[in-house]
């Protein structure tokens, strides 16, 4: 049975001791966790639903079988799809051996070895101090092994637009996600040239329209698969794909696994 989630534990316990590794496994219980930051780097793995993690610049989508690394000092808020979502957090101090890997916020798939390690940490809650051997060395090794197990960072994040017109365009795309929106038609609907629209996306979001639109559709597909338990075929239609093979291939290219396999591989730790 998971511990009841305590919303304010971030502010009081995680950074209370500079050299400790802090573990927390618990059911969310709340609709969201307000913006905050830590002096320690955070490993976050979730189960039981979709989680959005928001920073000042981007919205990150954390699906099942993936984890997110949040560097120390990064302000973020956490928004689960359900109060029943389980969060598995490990917070690590900085070490002299830390590489650039730990300076970037990214999402990575979780392989079977990392699943086993997460299961092992499930027995811990609270601070682990350097004097607590071998527990501390095992927990520290968890952090040190992450770069070796995390070669495929996934583009499961969308930047926020600042320009008013682009905000309206993004809202339109989200509201009409079941349609295969044509770039030329989109420009005409908003009374701007295709060249201007392309420049909007590249300048404001640092990606092309097709890159943004594809990720938006795949993130929506993930949410439908996880939260609404729809079939792969139903999901494909709801995100504007009339061809199931095309949807499956695109999903595989972005997420790294085919949607049918993704549904089978959802993993809840006990």
């Amino acid at each position: 049975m998971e511990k009841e989630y305590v919303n304010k534990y971030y502010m009081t316990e995680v950074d209370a001791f500079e050299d400790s590794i802090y573990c927390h496994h618990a059911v969310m219980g709340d609709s969201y966790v307000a913006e905050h930051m830590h002096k320690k780097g955070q490993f976050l793995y979730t189960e039981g639903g979709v989680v959005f993690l928001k920073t000042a610049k981007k919205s990150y989508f954390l699906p099942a079988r993936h984890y997110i690394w949040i560097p120390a000092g990064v302000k973020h808020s956490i928004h689960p799809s359900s109060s029943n979502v389980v969060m598995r957090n490990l917070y690590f101090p900085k070490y002299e051996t830390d590489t650039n890997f730990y300076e970037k916020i990214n999402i990575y798939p979780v392989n079977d070895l990392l699943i086993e390690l997460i299961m092992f940490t499930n027995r811990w809650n609270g601070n682990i101090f350097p004097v607590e051997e071998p527990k501390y060395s095992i927990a520290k090794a968890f952090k040190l092994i992450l770069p070796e197990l995390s070669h495929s960072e996934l583009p499961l994040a969308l930047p926020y637009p600042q320009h008013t017109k682009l905000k309206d365009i993004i809202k339109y795309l989200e509201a009409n996600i079941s349609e295969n929106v044509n770039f030329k038609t989109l420009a005409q609907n908003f009374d701007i040239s295709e060249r201007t629209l392309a420049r909007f996306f590249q300048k404001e979001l640092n990606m092309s329209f097709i890159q943004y639109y594809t990720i938006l559709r795949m993130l929506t597909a993930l949410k439908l698969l996880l939260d609404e338990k729809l079939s792969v075929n139903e999901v494909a239609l709801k995100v504007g794909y009339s061809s199931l093979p095309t949807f499956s291939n695109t999903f595989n290219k972005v997420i790294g696994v085919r949607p049918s396999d993704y549904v089978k591989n959802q993993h809840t730790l006990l």
Side-chain angles (χ1 to χ4, degrees):
M1 192 72 178
E2 302 296 342
K3 283 189 177 182
E4 182 181 356
Y5 186 80
V6 181
N7 191 14
K8 298 297 183 183
Y9 83 91
Y10 288 99
M11 313 304 174
T12 58
E13 296 184 46
V14 172
D15 293 323
F17 301 95
E18 184 178 350
D19 61 350
S20 73
I21 295 171
Y22 189 87
C23 302
H24 192 85
H25 302 262
V27 177
M28 281 290 296
D30 287 320
S31 57
Y32 74 103
V33 178
E35 186 179 71
H36 61 285
M37 67 177 183
H38 315 289
K39 295 178 182 177
K40 295 175 180 176
Q42 178 180 358
F43 171 96
L44 171 60
Y45 179 87
T46 63
E47 304 161 10
V50 173
V51 169
F52 287 93
L53 186 138
K54 298 181 179 180
T55 67
K57 295 181 178 180
K58 290 185 178 181
S59 177
Y60 294 83
F61 183 98
L62 183 60
R65 295 285 296 192
H66 293 79
Y67 79 89
I68 188 167
W69 175 261
I70 308 165
V74 173
K75 289 185 178 179
H76 60 281
S77 58
I78 300 172
H79 306 259
S81 61
S82 163
S83 60
N84 294 320
V85 167
V86 175
M87 293 178 63
R88 303 193 181 280
N89 299 283
L90 286 92
Y91 302 87
F92 299 93
K94 290 185 177 181
Y95 301 118
E96 291 183 1
T97 55
D98 281 358
T99 64
N100 291 337
F101 173 89
Y102 302 103
E103 299 302 319
K104 300 179 293 182
I105 183 168
N106 267 322
I107 293 172
Y108 303 92
V110 170
N111 63 16
D112 290 340
L113 174 57
L114 198 49
I115 284 288
E116 292 297 326
L117 292 173
I118 295 169
M119 290 177 69
F120 190 84
T121 69
N122 192 39
R123 69 194 68 188
W124 301 330
N125 262 296
N127 288 294
I128 302 175
F129 297 100
V131 295
E132 298 180 74
E133 292 291 6
K135 186 191 296 187
Y136 187 87
S137 290
I138 295 171
K140 181 178 179 180
F142 185 103
K143 176 184 180 181
L144 299 182
I145 202 173
L146 288 178
E148 298 298 320
L149 302 180
S150 310
H151 298 296
S152 305
E153 60 188 68
L154 298 182
L156 301 181
L158 289 173
Y160 301 125
Q162 299 299 319
H163 195 284
T164 301
K165 177 153 281 191
L166 189 54
K167 287 181 180 179
D168 292 338
I169 291 171
I170 297 303
K171 287 179 182 178
Y172 176 85
L173 292 174
E174 292 172 344
N176 296 276
I177 199 71
S178 62
E179 301 176 19
N180 188 358
V181 177
N182 179 275
F183 184 73
K184 182 177 182 179
T185 303
L186 183 64
Q188 291 173 345
N189 286 347
F190 285 88
D191 194 29
I192 56 177
S193 70
E194 292 179 53
R195 183 178 179 181
T196 299
L197 181 57
R199 190 166 62 245
F200 263 153
F201 275 88
Q202 201 62 58
K203 183 179 179 181
E204 283 266 321
L205 306 177
N206 199 32
M207 60 177 65
S208 68
F209 163 76
I210 194 64
Q211 287 174 318
Y212 186 96
Y213 189 39
T214 299
I215 294 173
L216 176 64
R217 294 165 91 182
M218 292 306 105
L219 295 188
T220 304
L222 278 168
K223 191 174 190 303
L224 293 170
L225 286 170
L226 290 171
D227 280 358
E228 299 190 21
K229 313 298 182 186
L230 300 181
S231 70
V232 174
N233 194 52
E234 288 174 318
V235 170
L237 293 173
K238 281 189 172 288
V239 294
Y241 285 84
S242 57
S243 167
L244 186 57
T246 301
F247 168 70
S248 183
N249 289 337
T250 305
F251 189 98
N252 184 41
K253 185 176 180 181
V254 174
I255 308 302
V257 64
R258 296 201 174 274
S260 55
D261 293 332
Y262 182 81
V263 173
K264 291 177 187 175
N265 290 336
Q266 286 186 48
H267 202 115
T268 301
L269 306 183
L270 300 175

